[in-house]
Amino acid sequence: MSLEEIESRVGSLIQADTITQLKSAVWKERLEAITSFKEQVEALTSLDPSVEILIRLLCVLPGWNEKNVQVQQQLIDIITHIASTASKFPKKCVVLCLLGITERVADIKTRGQAMKCLTTFCEAVGPGFIFERLYKIMKEHKNPKVLSEGLLWMVSAVDDFGISYLKLKDLIEFCKDTGLQSSAAATRNSTIKLIGSLHKFVGPDIKSFLSDVKPALLSALDAEYEKNPFEGASAVPKKTVKVTDSTSTLSAGGADGLPREDISEKITPTLLKGLESSDWKIRLESIESVNKILEEANKRIQPIGTGELFGALRNRLHDSNKNLIMATLSTIGALASAMGQPVEKSSKGILSDILKCLGDNKKNMRECTLSTLDSWLAAAHLDKMVPYVTAALTDAKLGAEGRKDLFDWLSKQLVGLIDFPDAVQLLKPSASAMTDKSADVRKAAETCFSEILRICGQETVTKNLRDIQGSALAIIVERMKSYGGFQESFESGRSASASIATKSSTKTGKTNGSRHGSKAVPSRTVPTKGSRQEPIMSIQDINIQSQALLNVKDSNKDDRERLVVRRFKFEELRLEQIQDLENDVMRYFREDLHRRLLSTDFKKQVDGIEMLQKALPSMGRELIEVLDILLKWFVLRICESNTSCLLKVLEFLPELLDMFRNESYVMTEAEAAIFIPCLVEKSGHNIEKVREKMRELMKQIVHTYSAAKTFPYILEGLRSRNNRTRIECADLVGFLLDNHGAEISGQLKSLQIVASLTSERDGDTRKAALNTLATGFKILGDDIWRYVGKLTEAQRSMLDDRFKWKAREMEKRKEGRPGEARAALRRSVRDSGSDPAEQSGEVSRSITVPIFNRENYGHPEVHTDRLPMTQTYSGVGPTDWNESLDIITYGSPEQSVEGMKVICHELAQATADPDGSAMDDVVKDADRLVSCLANKVAKTFDFSLTGASSRSCKYVLNTLMQTFQNKRLAHAVKQSTLDSLITELLLWLLDERVPQMDDGSQLLRALNVLMLKILDNADRTSSFAVLINLLRPLDPSRWPAPAINESLVIRNQKFSDLVVKCLIKLTKVLQNTIHDVDLDRILQSIHIYLQELGMDEIRKRAGADDKPLRMVKTVLHELVKLRGTAIKGHLSMVPIDMQPQPIILAYIDLNLQTLAAARMLTPSGPAGQTHWSDSTANNPAPTAQSADAQLKQELAAIFKKIGDKQTCSIGLYELYRITQLYPQVDIFSQLQNASDAFRTYIRDGLAQMEKNAAAGRTPSSVPLSTPPPAALNLSPNPLSPVNANTLNDSRNLNARAEPTNFSLPPSYAEHDQGFNVISPRVSSYSQSALQHNLDDSRNERLPSGVSNGTLDAIRERMKSIQLGSSAVNPDPRNRPLIQVNGNVNNHPVPEVHGAGNRVQGGILPMDEKALSGLQARMERLKSGSFDSL
């Protein structure tokens, strides 16, 4: 801004004389003026509107080049006054002043005022903004004083404002790279003072960022740290910032403001693999690499991506090399220190493994572990560590020395604590340790107990003595006697505490005697029969009998089940899960019941189960509500392996399952995932009686739950390390095959796991596997070899012998031959579609499946009346293509997998021989196949979302992929089917539940790849039509699930975005595929879309930049660009004569004019042309160069058709027309690179076409591609479009550039015969009238694959004409014509007489009107049949 402009804007704010004097060369006058300026500014009542203009004026007059010190001081004072007085000081004003103020800081005469001004700037806009700009100014300035004094000001700014507004990483780097590297001592000293000031707020962690500094500087920094000790939260800033925004409150680190680095990219697969290497040297190098990464990150890291690293380090804690374990412990401690509090969540429970290292008998290992615990404690909080420490203290493997060290460490941490309620969790392990054999452990535990008592207080400790029994309780009572009144309050408290006190008092003498004897009493002391516990406990029970046994009022089972991890492999409950279980039991179970269930005494646990048994008949519904909690408790008891309690559990569970059956209740997936894995894993118990009960319980679960859903759990048991478990699971597989083969028929591939057990060393395991496979052979016959996988010769021989033995046994028992019952069942299913009872008398369990989960859209060809609404299938696999399609359509997702296997096999065989009859058969059924699979997509995904395997989803996507990989099959899919499939795939791509499914990421990738394959290989015309149609708002019922977190508008917008992406992919390659699409159908789809929107909506959306509308315009623009003016000849399916005109016409005109202006084509006509007629007749002639290029393009397309055996006849006819239109064009000059055989074929073909034309056998139904413009400049006398034959110059609107589904009979003779057949079918119409209707009814379109002019085409066209008639007239001659493009021709159709209008062979006459819709429309306009537009 110039000085004149500034003066004009200052106006009356500052007197003109003052500004004139500021320009004076005499310093006294300038000083007087600046003093006056200051007084005038201070007198202003409102500075805010004038801040910027005043600052700009001061920067120019007197400006920063002022030499007089007094004037400079006054200048800085005025700026300081403005910055402090204005309510908002713009940042641009700061930028204008900053360089000048910084230079004044270097001058001792103006330093005070300049530093004060900078501080004022910080108050106005925040110190972060000032610091960021000072870095560059100070670094690049030539005066070293600017840097040194600027650093000193930064010291004062940090003291005044703290670090919350600063980006510490940038500041520390500036200090390291610029300040400490300076050759000037003053600059280095200033930098050291600044870092010391930061230490007061940040603490010792700042040292890790300066580890690479020279030793001399480090010692100076250490001395500065001592002068500025870490104050932490007590370091309160002295000044505040007036305006707080997002940029002024940036803090790039954690609570201390220091930045943390993301190391996820450095945790490479190579590093993780090195940690698992078999070479200890490589493992050590990998551990050291982790330490190096921490050093490079200044020992401050983010938790992102460290999960796998902790998992790998966790394995190293169990390394055989003790030195590596200690190195790992040190690294974990460093990781914890570097990560801070998030380490607790990112470490995946590694703390329990760290604590196990205390069990080592080497002192240095235990010391290293305690050092790691110190680092962990510094990062996390002690309350997060207590659950792990409690579990470690009760672990017998820890050893006396380890427990002693851990108690000592705990006591040390508890000493300084006052309020720590979690300390009470340490009470039970401390009490148990006070009865330990080791005196050192007892002493350490007593010290720890004293700290717990001090922190929690007597009352809290007393309340938590319920689970402490025997001598441990007696010792605690003795230790607590020093607290006055303890005994009285303890005995007069709750009855539970009273009973425990009574019990302990009866055993105190014995306990005290044993303390000083040679043998200590174990912590779990069983009370004697003479104790008074039972009577007192029964009194307590009587007091609470009025309460309900289960309190399910606030129970939310669904929320609990969402937290259940559904996996087939059993994992023991973690410590936090056990604590959650105890909390749930105490919340929902009555006090006397939960005390028994949570007791460590197995007898009380048995009493609790008996209470549940008694309540089972009357409280079935309540038990179902808390079933998940109860099953977790059963899992805990089964894992503890107390035989008495376990047998009681196994006695209760069958009764519970019987109750389920009576209540018609089936376990949920979450409940099954809680209990069945444990039952399977523990089914190999070492006690035979327990194994028998578990075996019967598993069979009962199979009956009441689902064999198909139980089967994966049993298969996982086959991988167990326990041989007895594997034997039991193998027997269960045989049981399922024999009794529930129908339900597991889709999972028979898993028999290869059983087959692999035949190679085990254990004889019983091999025997169980052979027996199971023999059962399978009995049912499946020789088909079982398909399911056993790859076997060694020895295994095959073993199986063969067993199968032969089984066959002989079946023959002796007259059970038929192996697989015979299955074959009979297959025949019955194929013949009757039902599942009859098997001949053995056992009825196979069938599954009733509803055909559709959601409304069936776009599938009129799916005939639901072929089978009943519910269909049953047994375990019989499909035998042929049709049966497979039926099973896919009507079977359950699991059953349909077998059908899809057969389909994939057939597709593979057909693809291997693309020219064979098998491929032809498959092509005929391709649409039905894709229709079935499209319906199945939703069912399989819905099924998998219930927690089932995603196997059926993978199969349905794979089958679709295999279908659409073949272009012939993809092209055979109808548009309606393609619409349904594409919609379904896009909906599931958007479904947020898919990533949470089993293998969800793989399914998303498969959906993406399948969509790309459909876009590549399906009929592009249909793809365009479907996608343009899908740009409209989707019916809400089509979505797989109701919207939860987003509105329907947002969901539709996401869907439209996906559709737009698909259209972009198709449009990008449109230049190469323009001859493969039916432009008429695409333009019709665009027309319908635009008309449904309407002009008002289009204008509204254009302003909002609507993606779907913009995409449609892009497609239309690309079509116009590629076809030019010829695009007007492809509007046969658009009613171009309707009123008002179709919107698409305006857009085509606009595109033509725009492209013509860009010299990309010749305009189709003068601007503002409103009547659309034949472009070759009405448009100006294009240039010879563009016409010649278009002719070459047309010839290339024609030669391509001739090269395809399906379209060769069309190509030859079009080439013949070109030779007739342009005899001067040398066709064969375009075939210079073709073979002689091809050139001969062309000549012979053209000669045959000429003979057919001479005989009058030219087929009128051949689709004609757009001929080149009639005014080609190829000869001195070009053909005139008016005088030329209308057969040649008229454009048939129903023509396609290159029809993909079009086929002609081998010869025109056959075509003529087909045409003759129509005579008796259309006796009520004259042939000329029929021809007129066929040409003018442009809103009707032949179905894909039906040749115009054949019998089928005539039937379809006749049907459409009859349906479109406005009225029914019995007189065919007076019947009005179908509405044509918005106008109805009510004139009677004249009957054609005379032989001149007849053509040999029954061919319809080919006059001008019949050949070209546009030409006919022009004639009607001339005759006045239509009103002019």
Side-chain angles (χ1 to χ4, degrees):
M1 191 180 292
S2 64
L3 179 58
E4 291 76 11
E5 192 175 349
I6 293 172
E7 288 180 12
S8 64
R9 291 182 60 184
V10 166
S12 60
L13 289 174
I14 305 296
Q15 296 175 4
D17 294 341
T18 304
I19 296 175
T20 304
Q21 279 188 305
L22 285 173
K23 298 177 184 177
S24 173
V26 181
W27 68 269
K28 290 184 178 179
E29 292 181 2
R30 294 200 306 275
L31 179 59
E32 183 182 348
I34 197 71
T35 304
S36 174
F37 193 108
K38 182 179 180 182
E39 292 172 355
Q40 293 174 48
V41 169
E42 289 175 349
L44 291 174
T45 55
S46 177
L47 268 176
D48 289 347
S50 314
V51 168
E52 183 179 347
I53 197 63
L54 289 174
I55 294 294
R56 286 186 180 276
L57 177 61
L58 289 169
C59 289
V60 178
L61 290 177
W64 298 111
N65 293 323
E66 173 64 46
K67 303 299 182 184
N68 186 275
V69 174
Q70 296 178 49
V71 176
Q72 289 179 8
Q73 291 173 343
Q74 292 291 335
L75 169 65
I76 297 171
D77 286 344
I78 295 172
I79 294 174
T80 304
H81 171 75
I82 294 173
S84 61
T85 307
S87 60
K88 185 174 181 181
F89 192 71
K91 289 183 178 179
K92 62 174 73 175
C93 295
V94 175
V95 175
L96 289 171
C97 301
L98 204 54
L99 177 60
I101 295 291
T102 308
E103 290 175 343
R104 299 300 172 272
V105 171
D107 190 346
I108 193 170
K109 298 175 183 177
T110 55
R111 185 175 300 156
Q113 288 90 342
M115 285 189 172
K116 181 181 177 183
C117 185
L118 287 176
T119 304
T120 307
F121 284 169
C122 289
E123 291 177 337
V125 299
F129 182 81
I130 307 298
F131 273 58
E132 286 177 9
R133 276 143 189 83
L134 283 182
Y135 296 150
K136 185 176 181 181
I137 294 172
M138 293 161 61
K139 185 177 180 181
E140 296 177 354
H141 209 283
K142 295 179 181 179
N143 186 353
K145 283 275 187 183
V146 170
L147 179 57
S148 61
E149 299 301 330
L151 286 166
L152 284 176
W153 173 80
M154 286 183 173
V155 173
S156 64
V158 169
D159 288 336
D160 288 340
F161 297 97
I163 60 171
S164 60
Y165 300 97
L166 303 177
K167 292 182 179 179
L168 284 184
K169 185 177 181 181
D170 295 342
L171 179 56
I172 293 171
E173 287 179 357
F174 175 74
C175 291
K176 280 176 60 177
D177 301 338
T178 304
L180 294 178
Q181 300 298 324
S182 175
S183 58
T187 302
R188 293 196 302 273
N189 292 336
S190 300
T191 307
I192 290 170
K193 288 182 180 179
L194 177 57
I195 296 173
S197 180
L198 290 175
H199 180 270
K200 182 169 66 174
F201 292 91
V202 174
D205 288 340
I206 197 173
K207 296 179 182 179
S208 60
F209 290 85
L210 302 165
S211 56
D212 53 348
V213 175
K214 294 177 183 179
L217 290 174
L218 281 177
S219 60
L221 285 170
D222 289 336
E224 194 66 30
Y225 296 152
E226 293 177 4
K227 297 177 186 177
N228 296 274
F230 176 51
E231 297 180 9
S234 61
V236 181
K238 302 172 186 175
K239 296 180 182 291
T240 58
V241 177
K242 286 193 292 186
V243 179
T244 303
D245 57 19
S246 58
T247 58
S248 63
T249 57
L250 283 170
S251 183
D256 53 9
L258 287 173
R260 296 186 182 274
E261 187 174 330
D262 182 2
I263 63 168
S264 56
E265 293 183 358
K266 297 180 181 180
I267 305 173
T268 60
T270 306
L271 174 63
L272 297 174
K273 188 176 180 182
L275 287 169
E276 301 294 336
S277 173
S278 57
D279 188 347
W280 69 270
K281 292 181 180 178
I282 297 176
R283 298 200 299 274
L284 181 60
E285 288 175 2
S286 300
I287 294 170
E288 291 172 349
S289 298
V290 176
N291 293 329
K292 188 177 179 182
I293 291 171
L294 295 177
E295 291 290 339
E296 292 172 352
N298 297 313
K299 295 183 179 178
R300 291 185 65 80
I301 63 172
Q302 297 178 14
I304 301 169
T306 55
E308 292 183 352
L309 177 61
F310 274 111
L313 291 173
R314 186 177 196 166
N315 294 334
R316 297 282 59 77
L317 291 175
H318 306 283
D319 202 294
S320 56
N321 188 322
K322 296 296 178 69
N323 290 326
L324 285 183
I325 295 177
M326 288 191 285
T328 303
L329 285 168
S330 300
T331 301
I332 292 172
L335 270 171
S337 299
M339 192 179 298
Q341 194 169 351
V343 71
E344 193 271 329
K345 290 184 179 179
S346 303
S347 58
K348 297 183 177 180
I350 198 174
L351 189 57
S352 59
D353 297 87
I354 295 172
L355 290 164
K356 287 178 182 177
C357 295
L358 286 170
D360 198 282
N361 54 4
K362 291 185 178 179
K363 185 177 180 182
N364 55 351
M365 175 70 78
R366 298 196 302 276
E367 288 176 350
C368 187
T369 305
L370 293 173
S371 176
T372 303
L373 290 177
D374 288 334
S375 300
W376 197 280
L377 179 63
H381 296 295
L382 185 59
D383 58 341
K384 303 291 184 183
M385 300 175 68
V386 165
Y388 298 97
V389 174
T390 305
L393 288 171
T394 56
D395 187 359
K397 295 179 181 179
L398 196 62
E401 292 176 339
R403 287 201 296 279
K404 182 253 182 188
D405 288 343
L406 187 52
F407 273 119
D408 287 342
W409 181 84
L410 270 176
S411 301
K412 190 169 110 179
Q413 308 309 325
L414 293 173
V415 165
L417 298 177
I418 299 174
D419 182 17
F420 186 62
D422 290 314
V424 76
Q425 297 180 32
L426 301 168
L427 179 61
K428 187 175 178 181
S430 299
S432 299
M434 287 164 74
T435 62
D436 198 274
K437 295 179 181 179
S438 169
D440 291 336
V441 174
R442 294 197 300 271
K443 183 177 179 182
E446 287 175 8
T447 304
C448 185
F449 172 73
S450 300
E451 293 298 330
I452 296 169
L453 191 59
R454 177 185 64 80
I455 294 170
C456 298
Q458 174 186 322
E459 184 180 354
T460 305
V461 172
T462 304
K463 288 180 180 178
N464 287 273
L465 292 179
R466 294 176 184 172
D467 295 333
I468 303 174
Q469 301 165 4
S471 57
L473 180 61
I475 294 170
I476 288 179
V477 171
E478 184 180 348
R479 296 292 181 273
M480 293 180 69
K481 282 182 180 178
S482 58
Y483 288 79
F486 164 72
Q487 193 67 29
E488 290 78 5
S489 65
F490 186 63
E491 290 179 356
S492 62
R494 300 177 65 182
S495 54
S497 301
S499 64
I500 297 171
T502 307
K503 170 189 165 186
S504 61
S505 64
T506 60
K507 304 184 67 70
T508 302
K510 181 179 177 182
T511 301
N512 291 339
S514 64
R515 268 296 305 270
H516 303 286
S518 60
K519 186 176 182 180
V521 177
S523 59
R524 291 187 181 182
T525 306
V526 180
T528 60
K529 291 183 180 180
S531 69
R532 293 173 54 199
Q533 179 186 7
E534 292 305 321
I536 296 177
M537 291 297 290
S538 62
I539 292 171
Q540 181 188 9
D541 295 343
I542 292 170
N543 292 335
I544 56 175
Q545 285 302 313
S546 59
Q547 302 176 15
L549 191 67
L550 298 174
N551 177 25
V552 296
K553 183 179 179 181
D554 299 326
S555 173
N556 196 333
K557 188 176 181 181
D558 293 338
D559 288 347
R560 295 197 303 271
E561 289 188 347
R562 283 194 200 100
L563 302 176
V564 175
V565 180
R566 302 179 187 185
R567 51 169 66 98
F568 299 124
K569 187 177 180 181
F570 173 62
E571 292 183 2
E572 291 194 11
L573 292 175
R574 299 190 303 275
L575 184 62
E576 58 268 24
Q577 290 176 320
I578 295 175
Q579 289 178 338
D580 290 341
L581 171 62
E582 290 177 354
N583 292 335
D584 287 337
V585 170
M586 294 173 70
R587 181 178 180 184
Y588 299 116
F589 291 69
R590 201 169 64 192
E591 184 180 352
D592 56 337
L593 178 57
H594 78 63
R595 264 194 292 104
R596 288 174 169 83
L597 294 179
L598 298 180
S599 173
T600 54
D601 185 355
F602 76 91
K603 290 187 177 181
K604 292 182 180 178
Q605 295 170 1
V606 171
D607 290 342
I609 299 173
E610 288 177 351
M611 290 177 67
L612 288 171
Q613 269 181 307
K614 293 175 182 176
L616 187 59
S618 59
M619 301 193 68
R621 286 293 174 186
E622 288 80 359
L623 277 173
I624 288 173
E625 180 60 34
V626 295
L627 180 60
D628 56 318
I629 301 171
L630 201 56
L631 290 175
K632 285 181 184 177
W633 187 83
F634 288 148
V635 168
L636 209 57
R637 301 286 75 81
I638 293 172
C639 292
E640 283 185 355
S641 295
N642 182 286
T643 308
S644 300
C645 186
L646 179 57
L647 289 172
K648 193 65 180 177
V649 168
L650 294 176
E651 177 187 331
F652 173 70
L653 281 168
E655 298 178 14
L656 185 66
L657 292 175
D658 288 338
M659 184 272 291
F660 290 167
R661 188 170 55 200
N662 296 336
E663 295 282 346
S664 301
Y665 179 75
V666 179
M667 279 195 299
T668 64
E669 296 284 345
E671 290 165 348
I674 290 170
F675 182 67
I676 298 179
C678 173
L679 187 61
V680 169
E681 179 62 33
K682 302 299 180 180
S683 62
H685 201 276
N686 54 359
I687 299 175
E688 177 62 28
K689 184 178 180 182
V690 174
R691 285 204 303 276
E692 288 178 2
K693 286 183 174 290
M694 287 189 172
R695 191 180 307 134
E696 293 305 315
L697 182 61
M698 273 303 303
K699 292 178 180 178
Q700 194 173 356
I701 288 175
V702 168
H703 281 294
T704 56
Y705 180 48
S706 164
K709 293 181 180 179
T710 312
F711 194 52
Y713 295 103
I714 297 172
L715 292 176
E716 190 60 42
L718 293 172
R719 300 185 178 95
S720 173
R721 296 181 180 180
N722 187 336
N723 274 341
R724 283 190 291 266
T725 297
R726 288 191 285 180
I727 292 169
E728 291 295 327
C729 289
D731 290 341
L732 281 171
V733 172
F735 168 79
L736 290 175
L737 283 170
D738 207 11
N739 298 278
H740 301 273
E743 295 180 64
I744 64 169
S745 60
Q747 306 178 56
L748 293 179
K749 280 277 186 182
S750 304
L751 286 178
Q752 59 188 353
I753 303 175
V754 181
S756 66
L757 297 180
T758 57
S759 62
E760 290 291 321
R761 292 184 179 180
D762 183 66
D764 292 336
T765 306
R766 289 200 308 274
K767 182 179 178 181
L770 289 170
N771 287 338
T772 298
L773 293 172
T775 303
F777 175 69
K778 169 187 172 183
I779 297 165
L780 303 172
D782 289 331
D783 285 350
I784 195 171
W785 294 106
R786 292 166 49 193
Y787 303 114
V788 294
K790 294 181 180 179
L791 301 174
T792 63
E793 287 297 325
Q795 287 175 299
R796 281 191 167 274
S797 175
M798 204 185 313
L799 279 177
D800 198 35
D801 291 343
R802 182 55 62 101
F803 291 167
K804 289 177 181 177
W805 172 83
K806 188 67 177 179
R808 289 194 298 271
E809 287 292 311
M810 291 176 67
E811 190 175 350
K812 287 179 185 177
R813 298 174 184 174
K814 297 182 180 181
E815 294 176 347
R817 301 177 64 185
E820 195 172 48
R822 183 172 187 252
L825 195 55
R826 274 182 173 176
R827 287 193 296 272
S828 66
V829 169
R830 188 166 58 249
D831 295 340
S832 63
S834 61
D835 185 12
E838 295 184 8
Q839 293 179 2
S840 62
E842 296 176 356
V843 179
S844 174
R845 185 174 183 213
S846 60
I847 302 175
T848 303
V849 184
I851 290 183
F852 299 113
N853 289 333
R854 284 189 280 148
E855 187 175 351
N856 183 26
Y857 283 86
H859 284 277
E861 60 278 354
V862 178
H863 303 292
T864 56
D865 56 348
R866 297 183 56 192
L867 289 175
M869 282 302 289
T870 55
Q871 181 70 19
T872 55
Y873 288 96
S874 73
V876 182
T879 56
D880 56 21
W881 176 276
N882 289 326
E883 186 180 336
S884 300
L885 288 179
D886 288 340
I887 287 184
I888 292 172
T889 305
Y890 305 109
S892 69
E894 291 176 336
Q895 292 167 340
S896 62
V897 168
E898 292 302 315
M900 286 184 267
K901 289 179 183 177
V902 175
I903 295 294
C904 289
H905 178 70
E906 295 286 343
L907 289 174
Q909 285 188 331
T911 307
D913 183 19
D915 298 325
S917 59
M919 176 57 80
D920 295 335
D921 294 338
V922 172
V923 169
K924 293 176 184 176
D925 246 357
D927 185 69
R928 182 187 169 202
L929 168 63
V930 174
S931 176
C932 294
L933 294 171
N935 273 333
K936 208 69 188 176
V937 170
K939 296 181 184 178
T940 55
F941 274 82
D942 286 335
F943 177 67
S944 297
L945 284 170
T946 62
S949 168
S950 61
R951 179 170 175 261
S952 56
C953 299
K954 294 176 183 175
Y955 264 97
V956 73
L957 295 179
N958 180 62
T959 310
L960 283 166
M961 182 74 72
Q962 203 163 336
T963 304
F964 280 94
Q965 279 177 342
N966 187 292
K967 284 205 171 187
R968 280 190 66 192
L969 295 177
H971 271 261
V973 179
K974 296 178 182 177
Q975 181 176 322
S976 58
T977 305
L978 201 62
D979 187 341
S980 177
L981 176 62
I982 290 177
T983 305
E984 202 66 53
L985 296 179
L986 295 181
L987 287 174
W988 284 108
L989 269 170
L990 289 172
D991 199 304
E992 296 177 352
R993 300 171 298 169
V994 174
Q996 278 75 47
M997 290 170 55
D998 181 28
D999 295 330
S1001 58
Q1002 293 182 23
L1003 291 176
L1004 283 176
R1005 281 197 297 271
L1007 285 167
N1008 269 303
V1009 174
L1010 176 57
M1011 269 306 305
L1012 292 174
K1013 194 61 67 178
I1014 292 172
L1015 296 176
D1016 285 340
N1017 292 339
D1019 177 52
R1020 290 186 179 269
T1021 304
S1022 299
S1023 298
F1024 266 113
V1026 166
L1027 291 170
I1028 291 172
N1029 179 55
L1030 289 178
L1031 289 174
R1032 307 175 202 169
L1034 199 64
D1035 190 316
S1037 61
R1038 298 296 300 271
W1039 289 91
I1044 299 174
N1045 298 323
E1046 56 188 4
S1047 66
L1048 186 62
V1049 176
I1050 295 175
R1051 297 182 92 186
N1052 281 334
Q1053 184 179 351
K1054 290 182 179 179
F1055 183 81
S1056 298
D1057 289 346
L1058 267 187
V1059 176
V1060 167
K1061 288 180 182 178
C1062 297
L1063 277 170
I1064 289 173
K1065 178 171 175 59
L1066 289 178
T1067 309
K1068 279 184 178 179
V1069 295
L1070 196 53
Q1071 185 173 2
N1072 301 324
T1073 60
I1074 189 69
H1075 296 291
D1076 297 333
V1077 296
D1078 184 350
L1079 297 180
D1080 299 62
R1081 283 172 60 195
I1082 296 177
L1083 291 173
Q1084 183 196 30
S1085 299
I1086 295 174
H1087 159 70
I1088 293 172
Y1089 179 82
L1090 294 175
Q1091 289 300 123
E1092 286 189 357
L1093 281 183
M1095 279 310 301
D1096 292 339
E1097 182 66 17
I1098 288 174
R1099 291 192 190 98
K1100 180 181 175 183
R1101 292 195 180 191
D1105 194 24
D1106 183 67
K1107 282 186 180 180
L1109 177 60
R1110 192 171 59 186
M1111 188 67 241
V1112 170
K1113 290 179 180 178
T1114 302
V1115 174
L1116 184 58
H1117 174 83
E1118 193 69 16
L1119 292 175
V1120 175
K1121 176 183 172 184
L1122 294 172
R1123 296 300 292 160
T1125 55
I1127 195 70
K1128 295 182 179 181
H1130 292 282
L1131 293 167
S1132 63
M1133 304 179 76
V1134 177
I1136 60 178
D1137 292 331
M1138 66 181 284
Q1139 287 292 343
Q1141 272 198 341
I1143 299 171
I1144 189 174
L1145 303 188
Y1147 277 109
I1148 291 177
D1149 269 337
L1150 180 63
N1151 280 310
L1152 285 171
Q1153 292 167 14
T1154 305
L1155 292 168
R1159 297 184 179 178
M1160 299 178 71
L1161 53 76
T1162 303
S1164 61
Q1169 176 183 342
T1170 57
H1171 182 71
W1172 285 63
S1173 57
D1174 196 315
S1175 59
T1176 60
N1178 293 331
N1179 296 332
T1183 63
Q1185 183 178 359
S1186 62
D1188 188 37
Q1190 188 174 358
L1191 177 63
K1192 288 182 179 179
Q1193 186 180 3
E1194 293 293 337
L1195 286 174
I1198 291 171
F1199 290 141
K1200 183 179 177 183
K1201 292 181 183 179
I1202 295 173
D1204 189 342
K1205 65 180 183 180
Q1206 292 186 353
T1207 58
C1208 61
S1209 298
I1210 307 170
L1212 284 171
Y1213 180 70
E1214 293 183 359
L1215 188 61
Y1216 171 71
R1217 285 191 60 220
I1218 292 291
T1219 60
Q1220 296 302 305
L1221 276 172
Y1222 313 111
Q1224 291 82 6
V1225 177
D1226 185 6
I1227 300 298
F1228 293 95
S1229 65
Q1230 306 292 326
L1231 297 172
Q1232 294 176 358
N1233 297 328
S1235 64
D1236 292 337
F1238 187 69
R1239 293 162 68 91
T1240 304
Y1241 177 78
I1242 295 292
R1243 280 196 194 90
D1244 294 344
L1246 288 175
Q1248 183 63 39
M1249 288 294 146
E1250 191 169 2
K1251 290 179 183 178
N1252 289 340
R1257 291 199 301 268
T1258 305
S1260 62
S1261 58
V1262 173
L1264 310 178
S1265 63
T1266 306
L1272 279 176
N1273 199 6
L1274 297 174
S1275 64
N1277 298 312
L1279 289 170
S1280 168
V1282 176
N1283 298 327
N1285 191 335
T1286 54
L1287 171 65
N1288 296 328
D1289 65 61
S1290 299
R1291 171 76 169 95
N1292 186 345
L1293 281 181
N1294 287 331
R1296 303 184 186 180
E1298 185 181 348
T1300 54
N1301 293 327
F1302 192 96
S1303 61
L1304 275 180
S1307 67
Y1308 286 108
E1310 294 177 14
H1311 182 83
D1312 293 343
Q1313 292 169 8
F1315 227 104
N1316 286 333
V1317 181
I1318 74 165
S1319 299
R1321 297 293 299 266
V1322 290
S1323 58
S1324 62
Y1325 280 90
S1326 68
Q1327 289 185 355
S1328 61
L1330 175 61
Q1331 180 67 23
H1332 188 74
N1333 285 341
L1334 291 178
D1335 285 337
D1336 279 353
S1337 300
R1338 280 175 291 272
N1339 285 333
E1340 302 298 328
R1341 192 68 181 169
L1342 295 184
S1344 177
V1346 178
S1347 301
N1348 188 8
T1350 63
L1351 178 58
D1352 291 338
I1354 299 301
R1355 286 175 179 165
E1356 291 294 328
R1357 190 56 67 91
M1358 285 293 296
K1359 184 187 293 185
S1360 64
I1361 290 172
Q1362 290 169 3
L1363 290 174
S1365 299
S1366 59
V1368 179
N1369 193 338
D1371 184 3
R1373 297 197 179 189
N1374 295 326
R1375 182 176 301 174
L1377 292 179
I1378 175 176
Q1379 182 173 340
V1380 179
N1381 294 335
N1383 296 280
V1384 179
N1385 187 348
N1386 292 317
H1387 302 294
V1389 181
E1391 187 172 359
V1392 181
H1393 300 282
N1397 292 329
R1398 306 283 182 183
V1399 184
Q1400 296 179 10
I1403 300 301
L1404 296 177
M1406 302 178 62
D1407 59 318
E1408 292 181 350
K1409 294 183 181 180
L1411 280 173
S1412 171
L1414 289 176
Q1415 190 70 22
R1417 194 173 294 111
M1418 288 176 61
E1419 293 298 326
R1420 289 196 295 275
L1421 282 171
K1422 291 176 183 177
S1423 63
S1425 298
F1426 290 95
D1427 295 332
S1428 58
L1429 298 177

